[in-house]
C-alpha cells in the first residue's frame, strides 16, 4: 500500500546511516535514544487526583471540587462568587466512573463532589461521608441529528421512540456518536434509557429483565450504530464539531452549545430528539464530603446557597440547563430554539434508575456483550530511553488493560468480538501481535509486553503505518477502531509520510496518544489535530492514562 513512502523512508535512512558513520561515538550514543523536548502543552487527559484543572478566584480560603466535565461551562458563574468572596475554588474534572471510584477511597482529596448524576454519587459513597446534596440543575440526555437527515427520517415535529431510532439504524440511515456507557454519565444514562424503552418501560429495571434475549438483541443492534466513542461528554461535543458525523447523543445543554457553534460556522444545526420512552436526565448534584473540616463545610454551604439562589439559577438556565423539571422561564426560552427541535415547555418525567447491583450488571453487560466491538491498535515505545522505570510502568499499565480480571475493576474488559493489535517499536517495528476476543490469546499479549526489552531509537510513524496496513484485513464498519500510541521521546520526523498514508487510507482512524517522559508534545498534538483525537498525559500516572484512553474506544 505504501511502497513509495517506504522508498522515501529507506532513502532517508540510507543518508542517516552515512551521517552516523562519520560522527563521533558520542553522537552515536545520542542517536540511539529518544530525543527530548523542553516544550510542553496543557495535558488533555489523565490528571492526578489533586491536580486542579481550573483555579477560580484567589485568597487563603480554598474549596476543592471534583466535578463532571460538563460543568466547565459554569466556570464564569463560579468565578463571580469566588472573586466576590475572596475564595479560591479549585475545579478538577473527571468522568463519572472516576468520581465514583475516588469517592469510595479513604483519602479523598476534595471538599465536595459534583457529578452529572446522583447514581454515581450514591454508588461511590460507601463510607457514608456525603451530605448536603442538592441538585443544581437538570439536563436531559438527548439525540441531536443533523437537521436535513432528521427531516429525511421523518423525526421533525413529532414524538420519536427508541424503536424509531433503532429502525433508522437497521435501515443503514443513521449512525451516531456517544460517550462510553462505562466511562461517562451521558453514555451510561442514554444506555439505561435504551434498556428501559426496549423492555417496555417497566417500573424499574431488575436482574431478571437483563436476561431478556429480545431486548439484548435489539440493544446490540442499536449500539452497532455508534460511529465514534469517547470518555468525556464535553470532548465528544468538540470532536463532533470538528468531524463529519450524522448524530450525537449528549446533554441538552451541550447540544445548545453545539448548535450555536454550528450556526456561527454556517453549518446545518442538530435537530434535537427527546426519545419519549427512554429519556434519562442528569440531575447535577453538588454535595459536601465530610472529612471533619467545619470551616470547609461552611464555605461549601455558602457556595451552594449562591448556586441555588434565584439570580444564579437564572444565569445557569441561560447556559442551556434547566433548573426545574417543569420547563424554562419565559425570558430564557429564546435559548432553547424550537426550530432546532428544543422543547423548553417539555415536562421532564425521569424514570427510576436501577439499584446499584443492577446498574453494575448493566455496565458489565454493555462492556462484555452488547457494545459495538473495538479494534484497538497499540503502538508502544520500546526505545532505549524506556529502559528501567519507564518500561516497568508501561508493563504495569498494559497489565490493567490486557489482564481481564484487572480490566473488570474499571469496566474496561474486552468483548468476545474485540480485536487487539500490539505493535512495539523503536527505530523500526519490532513485530506485530494480534489477539481476537477476551480469552487466553488476549492475556498472552501481556507476556509479550513483559518480555520485550527497550533498545534503539524512536519511530512511531513507522509503527502506525504498519497498523494501517494491518487494518486492511478487517471490515471496519463492524468495529469502533482507534490507534493508541505511547511514546517517551521525540520521534524521527516522518509525520508527512504518515499524514499522506492516513489521508490515502480514507477511513479517518483516530490516533489517541499518551505522552510520557520527554515525549515531543508538538508531534502528538499534530497527530491529534490530524485525526480528531486527543493527547493524554502519562508523565505522572502512566497507568491512569492508559485506563483513561482505553475508555475512548
Amino acid at each position: 500500500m505504501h511502497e513509495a513512502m517506504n522508498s522515501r523512508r529507506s532513502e532517508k535512512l540510507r543518508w542517516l546511516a552515512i551521517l552516523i558513520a562519520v560522527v563521533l561515538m558520542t553522537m552515536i550514543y545520542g542517536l540511539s535514544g529518544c530525543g527530548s523536548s523542553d516544550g510542553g502543552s496543557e495535558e488533555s487527559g489523565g490528571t492526578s487526583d489533586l491536580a486542579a484543572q481550573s483555579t477560580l478566584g484567589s485568597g487563603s480560603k480554598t474549596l476543592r471540587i471534583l466535578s463532571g466535565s460538563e460543568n466547565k461551562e459554569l466556570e464564569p458563574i463560579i468565578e463571580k462568587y469566588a472573586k466576590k468572596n475572596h475564595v479560591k475554588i479549585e475545579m478538577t474534572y473527571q468522568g463519572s466512573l472516576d468520581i465514583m471510584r475516588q469517592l469510595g477511597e479513604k483519602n479523598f482529596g476534595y471538599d465536595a463532589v459534583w457529578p452529572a448524576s446522583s447514581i454515581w454519587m450514591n454508588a461511590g459513597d460507601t463510607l457514608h461521608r456525603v451530605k448536603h446534596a442538592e441538585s443544581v440543575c437538570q439536563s436531559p440526555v438527548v439525540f441531536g441529528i443533523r437537521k436535513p437527515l432528521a427531516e429525511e427520517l421523518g423525526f421533525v415535529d413529532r414524538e420519536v421512540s427508541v424503536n424509531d431510532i433503532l429502525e433508522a439504524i437497521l435501515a443503514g440511515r443513521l449512525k451516531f456518536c456517544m460517550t462510553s456507557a462505562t466511562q461517562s454519565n451521558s453514555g451510561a444514562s442514554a444506555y439505561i434509557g435504551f434498556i428501559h424503552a426496549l423492555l417496555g418501560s417497566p417500573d424499574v429495571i431488575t436482574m431478571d429483565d437483563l436476561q431478556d434475549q429480545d431486548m439484548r438483541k435489539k440493544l446490540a443492534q442499536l449500539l452497532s450504530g455508534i460511529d465514534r466513542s469517547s470518555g468525556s461528554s464535553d470532548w465528544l461535543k468538540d470532536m463532533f464539531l470538528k468531524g463529519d458525523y450524522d448524530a450525537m447523543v449528549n446533554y441538552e445543554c451541550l447540544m445548545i452549545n453545539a448548535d450555536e457553534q454550528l450556526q456561527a460556522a454556517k453549518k446545518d444545526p442538530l435537530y434535537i430528539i427527546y426519545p419519549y420512552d427512554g429519556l434519562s436526565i442528569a440531575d447535577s448534584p453538588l454535595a459536601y464530603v465530610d472529612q471533619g473540616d467545619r470551616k470547609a463545610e461552611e464555605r461549601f454551604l455558602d457556595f451552594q446557597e449562591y448556586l441555588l439562589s434565584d439570580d444564579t439559577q437564572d444565569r445557569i438556565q441561560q447556559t442551556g440547563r434547566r433548573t426545574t423539571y417543569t420547563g424554562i422561564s419565559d425570558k430564557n426560552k429564546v435559548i432553547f430554539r424550537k426550530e432546532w427541535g428544543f422543547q423548553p415547555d417539555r415536562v421532564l418525567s425521569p424514570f427510576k434508575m436501577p439499584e446499584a447491583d443492577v446498574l453494575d450488571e448493566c455496565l458489565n453487560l454493555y462492556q462484555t456483550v452488547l457494545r459495538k466491538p473495538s479494534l484497538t491498535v497499540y503502538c508502544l515505545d520500546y526505545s532505549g530511553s524506556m529502559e528501567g522505570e519507564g518500561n516497568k510502568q508501561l508493563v504495569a499499565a498494559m497489565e490493567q488493560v490486557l489482564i481481564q480480571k484487572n480490566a473488570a475493576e474499571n469496566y474496561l474488559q474486552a468483548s468476545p468480538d474485540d480485536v487487539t493489535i500490539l505493535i512495539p517499536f523503536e527505530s523500526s517495528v519490532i513485530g506485530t501481535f494480534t489477539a481476537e476476543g477476551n480469552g487466553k490469546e488476549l492475556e498472552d499479549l501481556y507476556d509479550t509486553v513483559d518480555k520485550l526489552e527497550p533498545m534503539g531509537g524512536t519511530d512511531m510513524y513507522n509503527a502506525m503505518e504498519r497498523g494501517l496496513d494491518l487494518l486492511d484485513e478487517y471490515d471496519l464498519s463492524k468495529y469502533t477502531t482507534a490507534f493508541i500510541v505511547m511514546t517517551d521521546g521525540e520521534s524521527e520526523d516522518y509525520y508527512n509520510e504518515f499524514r499522506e498514508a492516513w489521508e490515502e487510507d480514507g477511513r479517518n482512524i483516530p490516533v489517541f496518544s499518551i505522552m510520557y517522559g520527554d515525549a515531543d508534545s508538538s508531534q502528538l498534538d499534530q497527530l491529534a489535530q490530524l485525526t480528531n483525537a486527543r493527547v493524554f498525559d502519562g508523565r505522572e500516572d502512566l497507568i491512569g492514562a492508559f485506563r483513561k484512553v482505553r475508555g475512548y474506544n
Side-chain angles (χ1 to χ4, degrees), residues 144-156 173-174 240 244-247 259 262 266-273 339-340:
I145 303 175
R146 299 277 185 187
K147 190 169 183 180
L149 178 57
E151 290 171 339
E152 289 177 21
L153 294 172
F155 287 173
V156 173
R173 302 177 68 190
L174 177 66
F240 183 90
D244 182 22
Y245 306 103
D246 288 346
D259 267 346
L262 289 168
K266 301 187 184 310
K267 295 181 179 179
D268 290 323
L270 291 168
Y271 188 84
I272 307 307
I273 304 296
E339 66 268 29
W340 293 344

Side-chain angles (χ1 to χ4, degrees), residues 351-371:
F351 58 83
K352 185 178 180 181
M353 280 291 180
E355 296 296 328
D357 60 335
V358 179
L359 175 64
D360 178 67
E361 182 62 22
C362 286
L363 298 180
N364 279 311
L365 193 61
Y366 170 88
Q367 190 65 26
T368 61
V369 179
L370 298 175
R371 65 177 169 83

Side-chain angles (χ1 to χ4, degrees), residues 55-61 82-83 85-89:
T55 299
L56 308 170
S58 60
S60 59
K61 298 178 291 184
K83 287 182 175 180
N85 292 275
H86 308 289
V87 176
K88 182 168 63 176
I89 298 181

Side-chain angles (χ1 to χ4, degrees), residues 15-47:
W15 282 108
L16 181 60
I18 293 171
L19 288 172
I20 291 173
V22 297
V23 294
L24 298 172
M25 289 303 294
T26 54
M27 187 64 179
I28 295 175
Y29 175 79
L31 286 170
S32 69
C34 290
S36 65
S37 169
D38 55 11
S41 64
E42 183 180 350
E43 66 92 9
S44 308
T47 305

Side-chain angles (χ1 to χ4, degrees), residues 317-364:
Q317 200 173 93
Q318 290 170 26
T319 69
R321 289 157 173 81
R322 297 172 185 250
T323 54
T324 73
Y325 287 90
T326 55
I328 305 300
S329 67
D330 288 340
K331 64 175 287 191
N332 291 328
K333 285 181 180 178
V334 65
I335 300 165
F336 296 75
R337 295 175 58 169
K338 292 185 178 181
E339 66 268 29
W340 293 344
F342 292 102
Q343 298 180 17
D345 297 320
R346 190 182 190 101
V347 175
L348 302 180
S349 301
F351 58 83
K352 185 178 180 181
M353 280 291 180
E355 296 296 328
D357 60 335
V358 179
L359 175 64
D360 178 67
E361 182 62 22
C362 286
L363 298 180
N364 279 311

Side-chain angles (χ1 to χ4, degrees), residues 499-526:
R499 176 179 54 79
E500 291 174 12
W502 186 85
E503 291 174 346
E504 177 189 333
D505 180 80
R507 291 177 289 193
N508 297 323
I509 309 299
V511 178
F512 296 98
S513 54
I514 299 173
M515 179 167 52
Y516 184 71
D518 293 325
D520 187 341
S521 61
S522 65
Q523 289 185 328
L524 301 182
D525 289 340
Q526 200 174 38

Side-chain angles (χ1 to χ4, degrees), residues 132 149 212 224 245 322 388-389:
H132 309 308
L149 178 57
D212 187 307
S224 73
Y245 306 103
R322 297 172 185 250
E389 185 62 25

Side-chain angles (χ1 to χ4, degrees), residues 19 39 92 105 116-117 191 205 286 295 323 363 386-387 406 430 441 456 460 543:
L19 288 172
T92 300
E105 293 178 358
S117 174
Y191 167 68
I205 299 168
L286 174 64
K295 290 183 178 180
T323 54
L363 298 180
M386 283 293 291
E387 188 173 6
N406 298 333
I430 296 171
E441 192 174 299
M460 64 181 177
I543 294 174

